[in-house]
Amino acid sequence: ALVAWATGSSAGCLVDEISQAVGPEGSGDDLSQHLAERGVLPMFGFPTRVRDMFLWRPTRAYPWPPRGTVDRQLELAIIDFAPGSETVRDKQVHTAVGLAAFRPAGPRVVADKAPLGRRRPVTLCRRCGAVRHRHQETPDACSSCAAVAPEFGSFELAEPTGFRSAFRAEDFEGSFTRNARATTPRIAPDLDSMEVIDVGGARALSGAGDVFVVNDNGGRLYRFAPTEDWESWVSVDLWRDLELRGRLLRTVSDLRLDEAWEGALGMVKRTDALLLGRREAVPGLDLRPYDPGRRGAWYSLGFLIRAEAARLLDVGLAELTVGSSVRHVDGRAHVEVFLADALENGAGYCTRLGQRDQLEHLLERADGFATELGKPPHNGCDSSCPDCIRDFTNLIFHPLLDWRLGRDLLDLLLGRPIDTERWVYEEGLHAAAFAGDFFGRPVRLEGGAWAVHGDDGVAIVRHPLESPAEGTDPPARGLSERLRHAYVEAKDLARGAPIQFVSSFDLQRRPGWVLANLA
């Protein structure tokens, strides 16, 4: 079989896989590395995507790499070495200012004149998180959620070959260092080659996909310009700021501003992925991750499943990446949580988890894990803790994570309805706390839902996954059964005043925002 695959000329053989792999741009010019990154050849023995930040300009070719470097894998380097980020080494703080890469050439050291590396046009939706390769003209709106600018945009994504500091360190005085933040991992699945399996109420896809990690400077993008000698490309805005603070030996006038480039730093890696989503829509529920509560629910589900997947596979948590994906299926937004192998070109973990027997076993174990979290001591957690779904690898998600929301989405995947009765006690506490801090009084409405009744109207507390039914009056068609009953009683209480729905997630975590948005 191996010989037939290597020497054949039909679809799926080695030559065919190479032909398909060389279509997308790679991170380098070497065919062997490109085929390894696309999963045709193994990564072992080939160069990895480690990037150096040079703390000063190297002058000697030996030893190499020189002592004045700090290295990271590219997906970490675009965050840790982004302009403005600070790195502490030998009790000194080094501020990253741009891009530079050097290599030995005999006894000399030469600079890479194009440290931006490979650049590829992409589109990114900051509303639903969809990221795609842009092969043609820029679309006007997101294909997944129809968002338009400024939430949806197009830009070039650069995979730098190296980074540089200001070449001027400061003493570290024990204060916190600054770092940039990348977006959460995004996936562009190769749907045509993925295996599809239905389990319970879920649809699972497993196979290869492109995982994107993007640092777009919080949506503002970066602007780099080369120095006069073309040895570095530095952040124009940061360079000017550091010059004013006296931390640079050179001035902005030394930059070739007419050659400036604007875009984002990032990487694209081919790896194995497993996508899980609800097969059919659920009346009364809105699963689209367009607000913090629903986004937190999907990430909570992902990390809950990842915890059991790591135990099932006997691997570390860092071996699996978690994210969410939104795409259009049969005219509706189809939301999925995904697990992806952290190893470039895939380790086979997610492909194995996508097999029917393994997937059923994984969901069964995850269900058991969620049941255990409903018992002491975790039933006393207000959201999550380091002993359930929080860990160091998902630190940036901690404000969003709530194991109860993950459990509710897991129920939907297993074909069970959400048991809103489990939330009545918490919803009552949040309503009482809000009323005590701001205005009104907590009221238990027909159907079991809680509300805050004040002189300016009624705010009905809903589950984060229940449809908010915005813009409809009366909103009977888009509401769950319990909220329909609550709405009828709230009309009698309101006596013509506005009736609104607020998520228990927002009520607990950002009551000031809720107050500001009440009519």
Side-chain angles (χ1 to χ4, degrees):
L2 180 61
V3 171
W5 169 76
T7 61
S9 58
S10 60
C13 68
L14 176 58
V15 174
D16 180 62
E17 289 191 19
I18 292 175
S19 299
Q20 294 184 32
V22 297
E25 289 189 356
S27 62
D29 295 325
D30 296 330
L31 178 63
S32 59
Q33 179 172 343
H34 184 67
L35 295 180
E37 291 174 358
R38 302 303 297 177
V40 178
L41 296 179
M43 182 64 73
F44 307 107
F46 293 108
T48 59
R49 296 203 215 180
V50 174
R51 297 294 187 267
D52 294 316
M53 181 172 76
F54 292 86
L55 306 183
W56 54 79
R57 206 283 189 197
T59 57
R60 301 176 59 183
Y62 181 83
W64 198 267
R67 189 175 66 85
T69 60
V70 181
D71 62 68
R72 298 280 191 278
Q73 285 286 344
L74 180 56
E75 58 190 295
L76 297 178
I78 61 172
I79 307 169
D80 293 347
F81 300 157
S85 295
E86 297 174 338
T87 300
V88 177
R89 176 170 172 170
D90 296 336
K91 299 182 181 180
Q92 289 189 312
V93 179
H94 300 270
T95 302
V97 298
L99 313 176
F102 302 92
R103 59 180 175 82
R108 300 180 301 112
V109 175
V110 296
D112 181 354
K113 302 297 185 181
L116 284 168
R118 293 282 182 170
R119 292 176 286 177
R120 65 189 83 210
V122 299
T123 60
L124 173 66
C125 180
R126 296 177 181 87
R127 183 187 182 198
C128 71
V131 59
R132 300 287 185 267
H133 294 284
R134 194 189 79 221
H135 300 295
Q136 299 174 348
E137 295 183 1
T138 306
D140 296 327
C142 175
S143 60
S144 296
C145 68
V148 297
E151 292 180 312
F152 175 77
S154 173
F155 50 83
E156 279 194 322
L157 184 70
E159 296 187 0
T161 59
F163 300 81
R164 61 157 290 181
S165 74
F167 292 171
R168 201 174 200 183
E170 295 183 330
D171 292 335
F172 179 59
E173 299 177 350
S175 58
F176 287 103
T177 55
R178 294 178 294 174
N179 283 94
R181 265 198 60 185
T183 63
T184 56
R186 317 292 176 90
I187 191 168
D190 187 356
L191 299 175
D192 294 335
S193 65
M194 291 188 127
E195 184 177 354
V196 181
I197 294 175
D198 290 339
V199 175
R203 172 157 293 171
L205 293 84
S206 60
D210 287 338
V211 174
F212 291 75
V213 181
V214 181
N215 179 0
D216 62 353
N217 195 21
R220 299 183 297 274
L221 301 181
Y222 290 103
R223 191 159 64 104
F224 294 100
T227 54
E228 282 290 335
D229 55 15
W230 289 87
E231 285 200 346
S232 304
W233 287 64
V234 299
S235 168
V236 177
D237 300 327
L238 181 62
W239 192 266
R240 183 177 288 110
D241 178 59
L242 293 178
E243 178 191 344
L244 294 175
R245 289 159 55 192
R247 292 195 48 193
L248 289 174
L249 300 177
R250 304 168 72 169
T251 65
V252 173
S253 61
D254 293 327
L255 301 182
R256 296 177 178 266
L257 296 177
D258 57 324
E259 300 285 345
W261 171 88
E262 185 177 68
L265 305 178
M267 70 167 293
V268 183
K269 65 178 177 182
R270 187 77 165 179
T271 191
D272 291 345
L274 169 67
L275 292 88
L276 279 168
R278 170 77 187 188
R279 190 165 66 250
E280 298 174 350
V282 183
L285 300 185
D286 185 351
L287 305 183
R288 297 172 299 173
Y290 299 163
D291 73 1
R294 298 195 294 268
R295 194 176 303 120
W298 282 104
Y299 281 113
S300 298
L301 171 66
F303 289 114
L304 191 152
I305 292 177
R306 187 187 72 160
E308 276 308 312
R311 285 190 278 266
L312 180 62
L313 296 168
D314 195 20
V315 299
L317 292 173
E319 295 291 338
L320 296 170
T321 300
V322 174
S324 64
S325 169
V326 182
R327 54 192 178 88
H328 270 287
V329 177
D330 299 330
R332 68 177 180 89
H334 180 66
V335 191
E336 296 160 313
V337 65
F338 73 82
L339 300 182
D341 293 0
L343 186 66
E344 223 173 323
N345 147 359
Y349 298 139
C350 290
T351 302
R352 176 173 175 79
L353 292 174
Q355 298 173 3
R356 180 175 295 278
D357 58 336
Q358 294 293 320
L359 182 60
E360 290 175 345
H361 189 35
L362 172 62
L363 293 178
E364 181 183 348
R365 289 178 58 124
D367 190 33
F369 180 39
T371 301
E372 288 300 314
L373 293 178
K375 302 175 182 178
H378 290 288
N379 62 344
C381 285
D382 62 351
S383 57
S384 60
C385 73
D387 292 327
C388 56
I389 58 176
R390 287 189 184 184
D391 60 77
F392 183 75
T393 66
N394 60 21
L395 190 64
I396 64 172
F397 299 101
H398 286 184
L400 293 176
L401 298 184
D402 188 328
W403 65 262
R404 294 176 180 84
L405 292 176
R407 172 198 59 191
D408 290 345
L409 272 178
L410 182 61
D411 282 343
L412 294 178
L413 295 186
L414 294 172
R416 301 192 295 249
I418 292 179
D419 184 2
T420 53
E421 285 296 319
R422 297 183 298 202
W423 286 88
V424 170
Y425 177 72
E426 283 82 5
E427 290 173 348
L429 290 180
H430 301 330
F434 184 86
D437 290 339
F438 299 109
F439 68 87
R441 60 187 179 90
V443 180
R444 182 97 184 260
L445 301 176
E446 185 180 348
W450 282 88
V452 178
H453 179 213
D455 294 337
D456 296 328
V458 178
I460 303 174
V461 183
R462 64 174 177 85
H463 187 283
L465 298 178
E466 286 182 307
S467 174
E470 298 170 350
T472 56
D473 188 26
R477 286 189 303 171
L479 295 180
S480 63
E481 184 177 355
R482 75 160 187 155
L483 291 188
R484 284 200 300 270
H485 291 301
Y487 181 80
V488 171
E489 185 175 350
K491 289 187 69 174
D492 294 333
L493 287 175
R495 298 183 181 278
I499 300 175
Q500 293 178 268
F501 296 89
V502 297
S503 165
S504 59
F505 184 95
D506 294 330
L507 211 56
Q508 177 190 13
R509 289 168 172 80
R510 46 179 190 168
W513 179 90
V514 172
L515 179 66
N517 283 272
L518 288 176

